[in-house]
Amino acid sequence: MRRIILILSLLFCSQLITASNLLIEAESFDQKGGWVVDQQFMDLMGSPYLMAHGMGVPVEDASTTISFPESGTYYVYVRTYNWTSPWHDGKGPGKFTLKIGNKKLPIVLGDEGNQWMWQPAGKISVKAGNSNLTLKDLTGFNGRCDAIYFTTEKEQLPPNETVQLTDFRKKMLDIPAEPEQYSYDVIVTGGGIAGMCAAATASRLGCKVALINDRPVLGGNNSSEVRVHLGGNIGVGPNSGLGRMIREFGHSKEGNAKPAANYEDEKKELFIANEKNITLYANYRAISVKTDGNRIESVIIKHIENGKEVELKAPLFSDCTGDGTIGYLAGADYNMGRESRAEYGEELAPIQPDKMTMGSSVQWYSADKGKPTRFPIFSYGLQFNEKNCEKVTMGEWKWETGMNFNQIDDFERIRDYGLMVIYSNWSFLKNELKDNKKYKNRALDWVAYIAGKRESRRLLGDYILKQDDIDKNVYHEDASFVTTWSIDLHFPDSLNASHFPDAPFKAATKHIHIYPYAVPYRCLYSRNIENLFMAGRNISVTHVALGTVRVMRTTGMMGEVVGMAASLCKKYNTTPRGVYQKHLPELKALMKEGVGKKEGIPDNQKFNEQKLLKKPRIFAIEKNKK
């Protein structure tokens, strides 16, 4: 009996040794065709993925060359997700198939299940050596592929849990345990307007800077991927030198959800490329940090296509991620949601605190093609009719979802609901609306797949800006950038919410105009992580105060202040708090002078203070003369 057990054990071990496995990350495909790389949810599901974003028209195939280690029969598994499953129990719309060489696997992928999972794709006999692997989209409705796994062992799936799967990926892809290391004076994470300005300002003041951006284009919400125009005004208040830098790369045309060229991505790219002290890590996402007590020592970043990891070290870090990711990973104090009215004495706050935030927008527009066009029937759990449909040809900021969900943990669902309402409504207008002459010749021309987020974590600093500061124009000795935007807090549109009470997808707002207000510098660094700055919508403010500081010309000026303070940290070997305590006059002088170019820059973004002050305001505000 013992001999039989021994023989069986040897046979089993032999199978393990001789089994052949091959893991292909979809985002690493050589030719992506019409598929796009989506990295927005790496923190949730462990990886970027390829998505067939065709707005109802199948996209061009994605393909790559793979190498099978040996000849044999391989079982194929694909990690994918039926993205309409939160709202629809049946088959989903994101259908695609695989082809290896000239052999098409028969199983349709991406349209079943209710979570990210390894779906069996069939089996195939191949010869050792190179072969071509192709992803073929069948619908154009956002089918998604994370990875493809080939194994000669039947039903031996990779792990699906995020931590275990991450370890599995590293082992299969031979990613070194210790990444390459580089050192800088300042590391800025986030390539939106705030991050660009923080990096450029620090660079011009003599700092060696690393700028990390997890997309191929800069600008964040102001890029051609999201298409939100620059809001707010510059050149206002005691520190009038702030904001001039933004004119070096800001767009010349206003408006949301406009053609891609309006957002001038190439101008932003050149702006950063011309800064000799900046190393841009494009397509890299921060995935972890290393700390020593209450200090950050380094950040680990990962390339969103090839998986390469790099460790960046610095004495100073600036979190410009919007989500406060670096601060969160480092253990920084933060808030998320709405504070109670009593906590900060804010008239605009709810009586009881809650988790509601402003939502995320998936913008879109259609175009007249000059002849009748077709759109597939799209019905996956959201029913439109003559009364509740949106009879529009485009959707900009008001198309906003996820206010009642967690803007980080539920972000993929929030973005996907944004896509679903667009497709569902458009399908009704094209195929079922009785009087649809207006839509006969129109087709979807652009739908964002990168969602424009307004609010999530707010990292807490030595000062937390609140409504009272703005209403009363409270003076602070460390007054820095000036906010000019109204208190603009979005809430569900009442008519839309009456039609879709469980999941409204349109927002409304009430602009409460303010007197231009200079925000304390102490809102721009962490109160418990001693070498962490922040700039953007994740600074130290309440939910109510966020309504006025979150627009992008304003966040750009935050970045400038952070870059100036970082240069002083380097000069005096001090911390962000140390700048406030010992070097505030020098920071004020820098803010007043500015580092933006003074010559040869368009003057189309100047601020008209008198025009602003003529706007009606709900709160009576007197300018503090101090």
Side-chain angles (χ1 to χ4, degrees):
M1 180 67 178
R2 294 173 65 182
R3 184 180 178 186
I4 293 173
I5 293 173
L6 178 60
I7 291 172
L8 290 174
S9 297
L10 289 172
L11 287 172
F12 180 68
C13 290
S14 176
Q15 289 176 350
L16 289 178
I17 293 171
T18 60
S20 291
N21 307 310
L22 182 63
L23 178 68
I24 306 298
E25 294 282 12
E27 63 271 14
S28 70
F29 269 43
D30 298 326
Q31 304 296 326
K32 295 178 176 63
W35 297 66
V36 296
V37 177
D38 193 344
Q39 93 307 333
Q40 296 171 91
F41 319 110
M42 285 175 66
D43 302 339
L44 301 178
M45 49 78 69
S47 173
Y49 54 82
L50 282 188
M51 183 168 66
H53 185 58
M55 300 175 290
V57 178
V59 305
E60 183 184 346
D61 294 349
S63 63
T64 196
T65 300
I66 61 175
S67 183
F68 288 101
E70 64 179 48
S71 301
T73 298
Y74 285 80
Y75 299 90
V76 188
Y77 299 92
V78 176
R79 192 162 190 256
T80 184
Y81 174 48
N82 174 17
W83 66 272
T84 57
S85 59
W87 309 280
H88 178 65
D89 289 334
K91 295 278 188 178
K95 305 174 192 290
F96 64 98
T97 56
L98 285 185
K99 187 168 71 171
I100 297 95
N102 294 322
K103 300 176 183 178
K104 177 184 174 183
L105 296 183
I107 296 177
V108 173
L109 303 162
D111 64 345
E112 64 180 47
N114 59 9
Q115 63 178 341
W116 278 98
M117 66 177 193
W118 291 100
Q119 182 181 349
K123 62 181 180 179
I124 188 168
S125 296
V126 298
K127 294 181 179 181
N130 291 347
S131 187
N132 195 58
L133 172 61
T134 302
L135 289 178
K136 186 171 186 60
D137 175 36
L138 301 179
T139 66
F141 281 127
N142 299 85
R144 49 202 69 177
C145 179
D146 172 22
I148 303 102
Y149 182 63
F150 297 88
T151 178
T152 54
E153 292 184 275
K154 187 177 182 180
E155 297 181 359
Q156 293 299 310
L157 277 70
N160 201 45
E161 191 274 329
T162 302
V163 175
Q164 294 177 357
L165 180 56
T166 298
D167 293 338
F168 178 82
R169 290 183 200 272
K170 284 189 174 183
K171 181 179 179 181
M172 290 294 297
L173 300 175
D174 198 25
I175 295 174
E178 295 297 327
E180 297 176 4
Q181 296 181 351
Y182 301 94
S183 295
Y184 297 89
D185 295 322
V186 187
I187 293 172
V188 178
T189 307
I193 303 302
M196 290 173 62
C197 290
T201 302
S203 168
R204 293 180 185 185
L205 292 172
C207 295
K208 182 182 177 184
V209 183
L211 175 59
I212 304 162
N213 187 40
D214 66 0
R215 295 300 302 163
V217 297
L218 293 158
N221 282 349
N222 183 238
S223 72
S224 62
E225 294 186 317
V226 185
R227 306 191 191 182
V228 178
H229 70 96
L230 297 172
N233 295 282
I234 59 177
V236 189
N239 302 315
S240 57
L242 297 174
R244 191 170 63 243
M245 171 180 283
I246 299 168
R247 296 209 301 270
E248 297 178 36
F249 61 81
H251 51 67
S252 55
K253 296 180 180 179
E254 296 289 325
N256 299 323
K258 300 297 182 183
N262 285 30
Y263 302 91
E264 300 182 85
D265 291 343
E266 68 286 347
K267 189 187 292 186
K268 302 181 185 74
E269 182 180 355
L270 285 171
F271 170 76
I272 292 299
N274 288 333
E275 293 297 329
K276 63 180 181 180
N277 288 331
I278 296 179
T279 301
L280 173 62
Y281 289 86
N283 284 326
Y284 275 91
R285 186 177 179 93
I287 58 172
S288 64
V289 301
K290 292 182 180 179
T291 59
D292 181 9
N294 64 348
R295 290 183 62 87
I296 301 174
E297 289 192 324
S298 66
V299 59
I300 311 297
I301 61 176
K302 180 174 182 144
H303 196 279
I304 67 171
E305 293 188 10
N306 62 31
K308 179 182 179 180
E309 294 184 4
V310 179
E311 183 176 4
L312 304 179
K313 296 184 175 182
L316 295 166
F317 295 81
S318 181
D319 189 333
C320 303
T321 63
D323 283 337
T325 303
I326 303 304
Y328 172 76
L329 292 172
D333 295 338
Y334 71 93
N335 278 341
M336 191 166 173
R338 302 191 298 182
E339 296 88 350
S340 70
R341 188 172 300 173
E343 186 170 357
Y344 293 99
E346 295 180 304
E347 191 175 321
L348 294 174
I351 294 175
Q352 296 296 328
D354 59 33
K355 299 300 183 182
M356 181 175 283
T357 63
M358 288 180 278
S360 299
S361 289
V362 175
Q363 301 189 123
W364 64 277
Y365 58 75
S366 64
D368 190 333
K369 299 300 182 179
K371 60 182 180 180
T373 63
R374 301 183 64 182
F375 189 79
I377 297 290
F378 189 95
S379 182
Y380 293 90
L382 195 64
Q383 300 301 318
F384 282 88
N385 55 48
E386 297 281 340
K387 292 184 178 180
N388 68 13
C389 70
E390 295 288 336
K391 298 177 182 178
V392 294
T393 59
M394 70 169 296
E396 49 171 308
W397 69 265
K398 291 184 179 180
W399 287 63
E400 183 174 340
T401 63
M403 294 183 184
N404 293 312
F405 287 87
N406 186 299
Q407 290 285 333
I408 294 173
D409 296 343
D410 302 316
F411 192 37
E412 188 172 22
R413 175 190 176 119
I414 290 168
R415 191 282 308 271
D416 287 349
Y417 187 65
L419 293 174
M420 194 176 78
V421 296
I422 293 167
Y423 295 151
S424 301
N425 184 70
W426 192 249
S427 174
F428 180 82
L429 297 179
K430 292 287 290 183
N431 301 305
E432 300 176 73
L433 184 67
K434 291 179 182 178
D435 182 14
N436 71 347
K437 292 179 182 178
K438 181 179 180 180
Y439 307 99
K440 286 289 187 181
N441 291 356
R442 301 194 75 89
L444 291 178
D445 205 47
W446 174 74
V447 176
Y449 67 92
I450 304 291
K453 194 184 294 191
R454 290 175 179 82
E455 179 181 7
S456 53
R457 300 186 190 103
R458 303 184 304 279
L459 303 177
L460 301 181
D462 277 352
Y463 194 85
I464 301 172
L465 186 73
K466 55 191 180 299
Q467 183 185 343
D468 195 55
D469 291 301
I470 299 163
D471 288 353
K472 297 177 180 177
N473 199 18
V474 174
Y475 171 77
H476 294 279
E477 63 173 346
D478 58 334
S480 62
F481 69 93
V482 171
T483 182
T484 58
W485 197 257
S486 60
I487 299 178
D488 176 11
L489 298 170
H490 294 193
F491 48 85
D493 175 80
S494 58
L495 180 59
N496 183 254
S498 70
H499 293 314
F500 302 94
D502 295 329
F505 58 85
K506 293 193 74 178
T509 189
K510 186 175 184 179
H511 286 275
I512 300 172
H513 296 290
I514 68 167
Y515 195 95
Y517 180 74
V519 177
Y521 160 70
R522 286 165 292 161
C523 295
L524 299 178
Y525 62 85
S526 171
R527 69 187 187 186
N528 68 308
I529 303 298
E530 69 175 28
N531 61 339
L532 178 63
F533 288 105
M534 52 267 193
R537 59 179 174 82
N538 58 356
I539 68 166
S540 183
V541 296
T542 65
H543 167 82
V544 171
L546 180 65
T548 182
V549 301
R550 63 184 175 81
V551 294
M552 284 181 281
R553 285 195 184 98
T554 306
T555 62
M557 290 188 288
M558 297 178 198
E560 291 183 67
V561 177
V562 163
M564 293 170 183
S567 74
L568 296 178
C569 288
K570 178 186 178 182
K571 181 178 180 180
Y572 295 108
N573 191 28
T574 189
T575 63
R577 181 179 289 118
V579 171
Y580 168 68
Q581 293 173 333
K582 297 181 180 180
H583 307 287
L584 190 56
E586 195 166 346
L587 177 61
K588 287 182 176 182
L590 285 170
M591 292 189 294
K592 187 173 183 179
E593 176 62 23
V595 296
K597 295 179 180 178
K598 296 180 180 181
E599 304 296 334
I601 301 301
D603 207 21
N604 59 355
Q605 298 178 64
K606 276 193 173 179
F607 172 67
N608 187 330
E609 184 173 359
Q610 294 304 314
K611 182 178 179 181
L612 179 75
L613 295 182
K614 290 178 182 178
K615 293 181 178 180
R617 303 196 307 279
I618 288 183
F619 297 102
I621 306 169
E622 284 192 10
K623 185 174 182 179
N624 194 311
K625 299 297 183 181
K626 291 184 180 180

